[in-house]
Amino acid sequence: MKNLAKLGSLALSLPLLFACSGEAPQSVSSAPIAIAIHGGAGTITPQNMTPEREAEFEAALTEATEAGYAVLAAGGSALDAVEAAIRLMEENPLFNAGKGAVYTYEGRHELDASVMRGDTLEAGAVAGVTNIRSPFIAAREVMEHSRHVMLSGAGADEFARERGLEMVSNTFFNSSHRYEQLQRALERLREQANAGEQIAQLSASTLTADPAGWEPAFNMGTVGAVALDANGDLAAGTSTGGMTAKRWGRIGDAPIIGAGTWADNDSCAVSATGHGEYFIRFHVAADICSRVKYQGLTIAEAGNTVIHDVLLPAGGTGGVIIVDRQGNISMPFNTPGMYRGAKSNRSELEIGIYQ
Ligand code: ASP
């Protein structure tokens, strides 16, 4: 496994490195192109992974990164590259997005997704949708074919149906491993309730990636992608099933523009994964790009500051992927692992799972 250990703290500033050495790979075109993807963050360690599962994730991350990169290499848009990568992961039950999404407390699936383009700052999102095969495509449809930015619940499903998107039964998103996670989560909640605590008070605070409080695999697997195309445009997208055993129509950061997703050609593109409540409160994706825009920080500096110095002290766990208009990539996270992949025309494919 190629380990991206250094990518957590260092940007892939390879254009600079090549400029210094005077050597450039043959495939480098004049315009930078770059893509980064994530497949969720959390307590992902070699100890809770089998070699087979590791290989499955590595293959899935490689496939999604290469699919997005192929769009860029063919002159396609950052938006289409983001879509190509996210669609593959939404269809892959390994990830908590589309098929393979986590279950709600009631044993259903409620999906969130968003998209943003950096040239126009147009954005689209769906929240709590139950029958749209690709929440990401629905978010893009909202951006491109409605007057709105975010649609939710039954109305969003109806919009998607009217737009002719592929609709599926909610059971389409079922998977046995996520169902087992729900059963364990419910058991945990019952134990805590029996211990005299109120489930109502527990849900928000226990649905974390904290190994002491909540089984890490319960929430992991949100997917996202950020890209820079040859035209110099940035785009970002995120798609998720949210958190296992979520209730009361809980919505995370993934469909919140500025929290889970942000793209602005003046700064950077970001997609986030982690404990959504914290990413909403600290408007993580937009904050990173604001630091780049107004403080002149690099994406690595801004990303590391927000993920390690702002989010973590407040109790927020997770990570982000970031790309800028120079084709630099940074992927900071404050959890033991984050599924991730990156490729640019200045850097080889890199796939990483652990710190
Ligand atoms: N951020 C997602 C949410 O809170 C979950 C995740 O990324 O693992 O819904």
Side-chain angles (χ1 to χ4, degrees):
M1 152 128 356
K2 291 176 188 170
N3 199 320
L4 287 191
K6 291 181 180 151
L7 289 181
S9 53
L10 296 174
L12 269 181
S13 297
L14 293 179
L16 191 60
L17 292 181
F18 286 123
C20 293
S21 68
E23 292 172 26
Q26 288 175 343
S27 62
V28 171
S29 68
S30 51
I33 55 173
I35 183 157
I37 68 162
H38 70 73
T43 310
I44 311 165
T45 62
Q47 292 73 44
N48 58 31
M49 185 74 87
T50 62
E52 295 74 31
R53 198 154 175 79
E54 194 177 88
E56 276 184 87
F57 272 106
E58 200 178 5
L61 293 166
T62 299
E63 186 188 25
T65 308
E66 291 288 12
Y69 186 79
V71 171
L72 300 172
S77 71
L79 201 54
D80 287 342
V82 164
E83 177 171 319
I86 288 182
R87 279 300 292 134
L88 278 171
M89 293 189 284
E90 281 185 335
E91 291 293 311
N92 189 330
L94 278 179
F95 300 104
N96 171 21
K99 189 155 183 58
V102 298
Y103 286 78
T104 64
Y105 187 85
E106 292 79 18
R108 288 162 50 78
H109 308 278
E110 296 172 4
L111 312 175
D112 304 331
S114 66
V115 63
M116 185 165 186
R117 51 188 302 160
D119 53 349
T120 60
L121 301 192
E122 288 174 286
V126 292
V129 296
T130 54
N131 297 106
I132 305 169
R133 179 163 183 159
S134 170
F136 176 83
I137 289 182
R140 184 168 175 177
E141 200 75 6
V142 171
M143 176 174 76
E144 295 178 342
H145 298 287
S146 86
R147 282 184 233 146
H148 309 296
V149 169
M150 182 189 283
L151 300 180
S152 69
D157 279 307
E158 190 183 329
F159 168 79
R161 200 172 286 112
E162 280 183 20
R163 290 294 311 165
L165 300 197
E166 186 172 353
M167 306 302 287
V168 292
S169 140
N170 193 253
T171 57
F172 168 84
F173 303 110
N174 286 359
S175 62
S176 53
H177 69 290
R178 295 292 183 194
Y179 188 73
E180 285 160 21
Q181 285 173 6
L182 174 66
Q183 300 316 311
R184 291 201 297 276
L186 294 177
E187 183 59 31
R188 185 82 57 90
L189 289 171
R190 275 192 290 271
E191 283 166 16
Q192 289 168 338
N194 288 342
E197 300 173 76
Q198 293 295 317
I199 288 179
Q201 289 172 359
L202 291 171
S203 293
S205 60
T206 55
L207 298 184
T208 73
D210 173 5
W214 199 249
E215 185 174 324
F218 285 174
N219 311 319
M220 277 161 355
T222 290
V223 307
V226 292
L228 167 72
D229 63 33
N231 204 34
D233 291 325
L234 295 169
T238 311
S239 182
T240 187
M243 289 181 150
T244 299
K246 65 185 182 180
R247 292 179 83 180
W248 305 303
R250 180 263 185 192
I251 303 294
D253 60 313
I256 309 288
I257 299 302
T261 300
W262 184 259
D264 177 358
N265 276 4
D266 283 348
S267 51
C268 57
V270 177
S271 171
T273 177
H275 193 163
E277 279 69 11
Y278 289 87
F279 283 73
I280 294 172
R281 289 171 52 210
F282 290 88
H283 60 110
V284 165
D287 187 26
I288 290 170
C289 292
S290 293
R291 287 167 192 260
V292 170
K293 191 166 173 173
Y294 301 118
Q295 295 187 317
L297 300 187
T298 66
I299 55 171
E301 290 167 343
N304 279 314
T305 300
V306 172
I307 294 300
H308 297 289
D309 302 342
V310 176
L311 210 54
L312 194 57
T317 51
V320 290
I321 48 172
I322 320 169
V323 64
D324 68 16
R325 287 188 94 191
Q326 287 69 51
N328 297 308
I329 294 167
S330 185
M331 306 197 262
F333 53 97
N334 61 29
T335 45
M338 180 170 81
Y339 298 113
R340 59 205 188 275
K343 186 170 180 176
S344 79
N345 57 346
R346 264 81 167 171
S347 60
E348 296 292 317
L349 172 72
E350 294 276 3
I351 299 299
I353 295 181
Y354 313 111
Q355 279 282 359

Short mmCIF file of all heavy atoms in Angstrom, two decimals, residues 18-19 21-28 345-346:
data_model
loop_
_atom_site.label_atom_id
_atom_site.label_comp_id
_atom_site.label_asym_id
_atom_site.label_seq_id
_atom_site.Cartn_x
_atom_site.Cartn_y
_atom_site.Cartn_z
N PHE A 18 9.12 20.10 -8.79
CA PHE A 18 9.64 19.88 -10.13
C PHE A 18 10.28 21.15 -10.67
O PHE A 18 11.31 21.13 -11.33
CB PHE A 18 8.54 19.41 -11.08
CG PHE A 18 8.15 17.98 -10.83
CD1 PHE A 18 6.85 17.64 -10.53
CD2 PHE A 18 9.12 16.99 -10.86
CE1 PHE A 18 6.50 16.33 -10.29
CE2 PHE A 18 8.77 15.66 -10.61
CZ PHE A 18 7.46 15.34 -10.33
N ALA A 19 9.67 22.29 -10.32
CA ALA A 19 10.22 23.56 -10.79
C ALA A 19 11.62 23.74 -10.23
O ALA A 19 12.55 24.17 -10.92
CB ALA A 19 9.33 24.72 -10.35
N SER A 21 13.72 21.35 -9.19
CA SER A 21 14.69 20.38 -9.69
C SER A 21 14.94 20.58 -11.17
O SER A 21 15.89 20.05 -11.72
CB SER A 21 14.17 18.96 -9.45
OG SER A 21 13.06 18.74 -10.29
N GLY A 22 14.07 21.34 -11.83
CA GLY A 22 14.23 21.54 -13.26
C GLY A 22 13.74 20.36 -14.07
O GLY A 22 13.81 20.36 -15.29
N GLU A 23 13.22 19.31 -13.38
CA GLU A 23 12.72 18.15 -14.10
C GLU A 23 11.21 18.12 -14.03
O GLU A 23 10.64 18.45 -13.02
CB GLU A 23 13.25 16.87 -13.45
CG GLU A 23 14.73 16.71 -13.61
CD GLU A 23 15.22 15.52 -12.79
OE1 GLU A 23 14.41 14.61 -12.55
OE2 GLU A 23 16.39 15.55 -12.40
N ALA A 24 10.60 17.72 -15.09
CA ALA A 24 9.15 17.58 -15.08
C ALA A 24 8.78 16.27 -15.76
O ALA A 24 9.42 15.87 -16.71
CB ALA A 24 8.51 18.74 -15.84
N PRO A 25 7.77 15.59 -15.23
CA PRO A 25 7.35 14.36 -15.89
C PRO A 25 6.85 14.66 -17.30
O PRO A 25 6.31 15.73 -17.55
CB PRO A 25 6.22 13.84 -15.01
CG PRO A 25 6.05 14.79 -13.91
CD PRO A 25 7.00 15.91 -14.05
N GLN A 26 6.99 13.68 -18.20
CA GLN A 26 6.67 13.93 -19.60
C GLN A 26 5.21 14.30 -19.82
O GLN A 26 4.89 15.05 -20.72
CB GLN A 26 7.00 12.69 -20.42
CG GLN A 26 8.51 12.50 -20.54
CD GLN A 26 8.84 11.21 -21.23
OE1 GLN A 26 8.00 10.33 -21.34
NE2 GLN A 26 10.08 11.10 -21.70
N SER A 27 4.33 13.75 -18.96
CA SER A 27 2.91 13.94 -19.22
C SER A 27 2.39 15.30 -18.78
O SER A 27 1.24 15.62 -18.99
CB SER A 27 2.12 12.85 -18.49
OG SER A 27 2.35 13.01 -17.11
N VAL A 28 3.24 16.13 -18.18
CA VAL A 28 2.76 17.40 -17.66
C VAL A 28 2.36 18.35 -18.79
O VAL A 28 3.12 18.63 -19.68
CB VAL A 28 3.84 18.07 -16.79
CG1 VAL A 28 3.42 19.49 -16.42
CG2 VAL A 28 4.07 17.26 -15.54
N ASN A 345 -1.52 16.08 -12.70
CA ASN A 345 -0.59 15.87 -13.81
C ASN A 345 0.84 16.25 -13.41
O ASN A 345 1.73 16.25 -14.23
CB ASN A 345 -1.03 16.60 -15.09
CG ASN A 345 -1.22 18.08 -14.91
OD1 ASN A 345 -1.26 18.58 -13.78
ND2 ASN A 345 -1.33 18.81 -16.00
N ARG A 346 1.02 16.53 -12.12
CA ARG A 346 2.37 16.72 -11.58
C ARG A 346 2.71 15.62 -10.59
O ARG A 346 3.83 15.57 -10.09
CB ARG A 346 2.47 18.06 -10.84
CG ARG A 346 3.01 19.18 -11.70
CD ARG A 346 1.94 19.77 -12.60
NE ARG A 346 2.41 21.03 -13.18
CZ ARG A 346 1.76 21.67 -14.13
NH1 ARG A 346 0.63 21.20 -14.62
NH2 ARG A 346 2.24 22.81 -14.61
#
